[in-house]
Amino acid sequence: FEKFAASDIRLGTIWAIWGVMWFCFWIILGLGKTKILKPIAYAMLPVGIFTAWVPGILMMINKW
């Protein structure tokens, strides 16, 4: 929580991106709009890589 309290812009950006991602999932699953399933799936690939994988690697090598 200390990074969030210190106004870490990277963490705020990741939260915003994941908020959009969950909203897209709600549209697909909650409203049943399956026509947008394929574009959303392709958009989520870089989201997963750049918001989870890259920060995780950077934390492991102590650069975050």
Side-chain angles (χ1 to χ4, degrees), residues 7-41:
S7 300
D8 186 4
I9 193 72
R10 298 170 296 190
L11 185 60
T13 303
I14 289 171
W15 272 96
I17 292 170
W18 276 71
V20 170
M21 181 187 71
W22 284 109
F23 178 71
C24 291
F25 289 158
W26 176 76
I27 290 173
I28 292 169
L29 298 172
L31 300 179
K33 306 288 185 183
T34 57
K35 291 182 182 180
I36 63 169
L37 184 62
K38 196 174 234 181
I40 296 296

